[in-house]
Amino acid sequence: MTKAKRKRLIYNLITFALVIAAFIILQSMIANKMISRSLKGQLVPICAWIVMAVSLNLVIGFSGELSLGHAGFMSVGAYTGAIISGWLLQVYEVQDTTLRLVLAMVAGGLIAGIAGVLIGIPVLRLRGDYLAIVTLAFGEIIRSLVNVLYVGVADGKLHFSFLNKNMPAGVSMLVDGAKGAVKIKPVATFTAGFVLILITLVVVLNLVNSRAGRAIQATRDNRIAAESMGVPVTKYKMMAFVTAAVLAGMAGALYGLNSSTVIPTQFTFNQSINVLVFVVLGGLGNVLGSVVSATLLTVLPEVLRAFADYRMLVYAIVLILVMVFTNNPTIRAFADRLFAPVKAIFRRSKKKTAGGDAQ
Amino acid sequence: MKKFFAMMLALAMLLTCVSAFADDDVVTLKIAHIGPTTGGAALYGQATRDGAAIAADEINALGGKYRVELINEDDEHNVEKAVNAYNAALDAGAQIILGTTTSKPCEAVGALAVNDRVFMLSPSASSEAAVEPDNVFQVCFTDPNQGAASAEYIAEHKLGTKVAIIYNNADVYSTGIRDTFVEKAAELGLEIVTQPITFTDETTDFTVLVAEAQNAGAEIVFLPIYYTPASQILTVAAAKEFKPIFFGVDGMDGILEIEGFDKSLAEGVMLLTPFVATAQDEKTVSFVTKYQEAYGIKPIQFAADAYDGIYIIVAAAEKAGITAEMVRKAEEEKDPSEICEALIAAMTEIEVEGLTGTMTWDESGKVTKTPMAATIVNGEYVFE
């Protein structure tokens, strides 16, 4: 037991060390102007996608439920963040961008968490495919709702309306229906993204390695056995689901406040699938894998710009090759021998991945 | 090394004195076209890319003072990708942006370009918010202008007074035009005879929507939508023997090119558009011929917009007196702000006669040109 604990500790330390090292390297590159505009512009979105991938991994990899509506929580966070940030600026004239960003992210996480609870109550009583379909529907519902949502500030008050744009005269719109959240003052920073990643890693890794985390994994491995041992399945699945929703909401707020505008069509089913690809490629139940794959797959299309119109084709081929090669026993055995000393540390997490794959 | 350059410069200046157009006098404008050349809106991005390429070739072949070097970046009609494309374009040395083709990406890129001080001319982004920054100008009408212009056209030509509008309420373009149309229609005494008839990107069955317009006795059905749903609406209307005047805007452009669509159904459809490929004036004929030779298809309005866009940028550069020195400085310091300010000032002073009409600009960045409507007759767009 102590040996397993030590391995886990080392695995977690490596995860943190890699993230912190990447941050320090990138920061020093920015300070020395050694970084291209292209990469610099992607830093905040990368942070947001990492948090999305890690949080979805909590639901899919650890609690074993296939959720296809994760982008829905992200859009809740993005819209909430945009509204809160605009409201703070226009009504209370909060000029401190860090304060606005932090409050927006907290609010984004909170509202997405509430959405997570509401959707979790009916959804988590379902199993397998049914759950996947309902979460998919949830993502679409959120998108349709924000499509007809109008929020504006007038006379120092927030005004909400649905379906029709009933706004008092002289209103300054924050969310304008299909036009999305408009005139956002971008306040997101790479440092904030980095802190959010650290928070996510601390939350997820601690949760997974706690008593509750073991219960969550037990419900994944064998629901009936877990139930018969007295584990309240719905409660623990809910815990994983809502935690993931809160983190996705915070990532959404960060992502939304990085741009001057957010539109509903940015958070479609495709986007949920995109995050799912990050998770599957990184390995179900492998947190470090999610971090790495989210980073690489966000940067990859940009690196492939040289291929012009064929780049998404190349991207797809790269995806297929990676999937095939990481699952090929010969290649895996070869890699195992090559990295035998390093692999020893990861062996535990690999077993987990294999368990996840079998589902 | 510096000495060497100084010598070269002196030599070059000497040569300039000798011949009027020596190489040093040539100013190469590095223009990046940003548009969706892949993904759902690829038709538009490819059209603007190809239209711009033809204009650039013409200008370079002419051998005047200004030359154009085009850089192409794809934005997939996606806000995040558009920002990436913009950054990649600047990394590649772009100093002026011809883009972006679609509205929302244009807003996102404009918000960055206004701080970086990079001049932007969008061929076809039509939302109001897209031109808000002072450095962004448009070649096409804004959505509100299209809505108001359509209402004016209908009232002026007395096409009818009972109007039904079928529009996509999940689309910025569609809702934007619809809103101003309704506003202007009330002013001009046009009557909207139905409740809002709306659909979304996922709608596949338009029977109920068309029936609603038919039952209300509409004489004109205004379709501020793209051509794919419009073609479905026309098909349904034909089946129901509902024959009002269908009036579309520039999104309707392309309806005759849809594979498998019975062109006779579009007979008599009117659309507000500044460009039709079958027009017989010299400029259009020359452009259409070159475009067809190079790409094998007829150009749509977006291609003409981008073609004009390149000429507008060159005209503005000429007016502003952009020098090779300015371009070189911008390249060395990676800061095109000087070029940007000069172009902004020049834009309000120029008048460009292009494929899409004679255009002038004010400080808002919006274009002024006369609205024109084409009618589909015998499977071709014809100007009245």
Side-chain angles (χ1 to χ4, degrees), chain B residues 106-143:
Chain B
C106 194
E107 266 173 57
V109 172
L112 288 178
V114 71
N115 292 329
D116 296 337
R117 303 314 292 165
V118 180
F119 181 80
M120 276 176 74
L121 177 71
S122 171
S124 47
S126 51
S127 79
E128 285 260 278
V131 269
E132 217 152 83
D134 68 329
N135 62 325
V136 184
F137 289 79
Q138 281 170 326
V139 179
C140 70
F141 280 126
T142 54
D143 296 339

Side-chain angles (χ1 to χ4, degrees), chain A residues 37-38 179 255 261 311, chain B residues 76 80 91 104 116 202:
Chain A
R37 286 189 63 102
S38 177
K179 290 178 190 152
Y255 183 82
T261 176
R311 85 174 185 285
Chain B
E76 297 173 38
E80 188 189 330
D91 279 338
K104 265 291 163 182
D116 296 337
E202 289 83 22

Side-chain angles (χ1 to χ4, degrees), chain B residues 229-247:
Chain B
S231 68
Q232 288 163 295
I233 288 171
L234 291 177
T235 311
V236 173
K240 287 178 166 295
E241 298 193 348
F242 176 42
K243 287 176 186 147
I245 296 174
F246 288 101
F247 198 97

Side-chain angles (χ1 to χ4, degrees), chain A residues 3 20 79 190 196 198 270:
Chain A
K3 212 175 167 187
I20 293 169
Y79 272 84
F190 179 41
L196 181 61
L198 284 189
N270 285 344

